[in-house]
Amino acid sequence: QIRRREREAMRPRDVIVAGLRRVIRYHVAASTALYLLGVLAAALYPALARRTFIDENAFLVAQTTVGFDRRDARDALEHYRAAIDAARTSPGDVHRSDALRGWLEDELDALGMERYRQAFALDRHSWTRGDDDWGRRSDASIDNATHGVNVHAVARAARGNGREGIVLATPIGAPGATLEADAAALALGLVVMRTIAAAPWLAKDVAWLVADARWGPGDHGIAATDAWLREYHAPGLSAHGAGHRARRSGGGAHPSPSSFEPFGRVGALQQAYVVELPEGAVADVASINVVGFNGALPNQDLVNVPVQLAKLAGFPRAGIFADSSTAGTGDGGRGRVGGGDVFDALGAVVGGAPFAADLRRVAGFALALARGTPAGSHASFKSYAVDAVTVRMSGERVPTGVPTGGAHRRGDPGRGVSGEDAFLRLGTFAESAVRCSNNLLETLHHSMFYYLMVDDDRFLSIAEYVAPQGLMLASSLVTAIALAVIGTSTAREETSTSTGGYAPVSLAEKRRGKEERGKAATAPTHDWSSALALALLAHVAGWCALLVASTWPASTAAQLAAAYAGALATAAAALATWSKSAGDGDEGDGDEGDDGDTVDGRVGRARREPPWATLKVVALSVQVASLGALTFFNFALAVAVAAPLAPLQLAAHGGVGGAIPPWARAALTLVAAPVLLVAMSCAALGTEASTALGDAAAAHVAWGRRVHVLPLAWCVAWPGLVLAACVHLGGVHLGGVHLGGVH
């Protein structure tokens, strides 16, 4: 009765501690349950979604009048035709986009508007991939090009203080872009800027950037926008990028001899809207693209506001998933997820076809975030902490299904709104977007910065979507703690009370002392230095593979050779460590007093854990720390790595039991598992598995080593697999000796 009353009187802290001890004791079952719960939680994402809303009331959506009217739309149509004529009548040695810029500068001068020209230096990563639709520019002139040219105009707010500014951007000259597309972008921007400059409500300066999209990776002018932003925030920092300024002279761009050439600024940039018109003057679908470098996202209000404004402007479809061909990624469909049968099967079990469609959309959005490559030049602004989105206007999709996004397509003139009506929609949207940001008195701080879009009007915040990743990492953490605290032996369980649990803190001193002595007698010891050295070797080998991939990005064989050379070196070091540990254990078997002490008249010896168990603790700890930190920078990439890596590391063991011998387990971990993961990833991305590593390395180099996928693969995921294989090697017998045995 006394013991029962003592148990009933346990404090909440004691109950929690006792529960944690049970979790540690049964860590195999606990880790398995936590991982499966994480997978189940991810599969239930659509059920957790909630409706989007505009959190910042100062946007005043649908509460203001729009000045852009049909007369402005007609003016835009006339400018559109004039720009096309100017490009077609330009000299044969002048590239189409250069001719358009010359025409634009003349028009801006005629309006009396501030305009500036910037020549930015090109590097080897700035060369375009080339395209057949390059106007009259020859290959020789491409090879001889030394700089790109950006033009921007500024509308000053008569009543503003110049502290904050807004950017409207329209890239031109992208590979595959048509003359009609570039002319429509310039005509729209010209008339919108004229309207805004004369508006009585303007309280912030507005910059209109016409980025030179001919250069750099991607099709969105990201290299040019990067150069413009570097010059904006760090004038003349270096000639590599935006350090060169230029003035227009004789229709061409020449580097200015003066380091004081003016570069107009509009204060601290707060928001930016990038408008792309890949089909010219058509306006039926407004696709909102938000994915930046490494999954960076703008404030969610800057996603919801353009969606609402596009619908108010008359677009029949507007949103993240408005263009089904890009799955909300803006990357020409590369973000679409394969495995439709899997989603359909889940939908049939959980919630039917609508649930399966929601799950496919959220998976596609997460996949785009995990890839880390930007879907528009808004990504450049986000790198400078400026919230920005790209809005890609297009017409109704033709039945044959021509790709969109990066491969600019021509619209079907017989479908959708075009011409004057299209310019009316486009101008209404552009002016409304600028006016909404004009109303803000401070930077965006309401709404969400971490979210996953399930549909155009539903999303998951970090509170809902982080649970699966937390559960998967918790499964690894539980096993790591258990192996570190109680080791691989069950001797610790024999020291517990007769009820199967540990005695409460409030028991008598004598009983509490006996428990502590029992713990001390069976406490495991670890060789941390050897395990840490092996982990360091594996990660250094992974870094070497990354270095090879960055140096020779086109060679998949070189990457694999470097990776497996490092893996074999780590495995050899592990076998040497296991062998030495086995020899040391044999020498100490006959001398019980070396590591013993007297406990209650008995000699207790600290249990020495097998080295593979210590290595597993280190490997799991590194995985939890690295992927846990990555979760708050790119959740989608972190969970994509944790989902396959966690079970492979948890299943690693150095025991001799099982149907598969240790050598085979290690080989499967190092060969079969990576091949399967790469094949599954390529199936989801729709790419070739044989060139996957080369493509990833090429993208890593092309984007200036700003994308995290390849570093994470070689410096986190691959070392994790190598260490898991080394753990399996703990069950190898050499010369009749079990290398990873418990001593």
Side-chain angles (χ1 to χ4, degrees), residues 641-692:
V641 175
L645 184 60
L648 289 172
Q649 287 192 321
L650 289 172
H653 66 91
V656 296
I660 304 177
W663 285 107
R665 296 199 305 265
L668 288 174
T669 303
L670 276 181
V671 179
V675 169
L676 179 62
L677 293 176
V678 170
M680 291 174 60
S681 301
C682 292
L685 291 169
T687 58
E688 292 292 334
S690 59
T691 61

Side-chain angles (χ1 to χ4, degrees), residues 13 45 63 104 134 237 262 282-283 297 326 359 362 371 422 450 458 528 543 577 672:
R13 185 189 67 179
Y45 269 163
Q63 300 181 48
L104 173 64
W134 264 74
L237 180 62
V282 293
L297 295 170
T326 61
L359 196 59
V362 72
R371 288 177 59 238
Y450 297 100
R458 287 182 297 138
W528 296 110
W543 177 83
T577 302

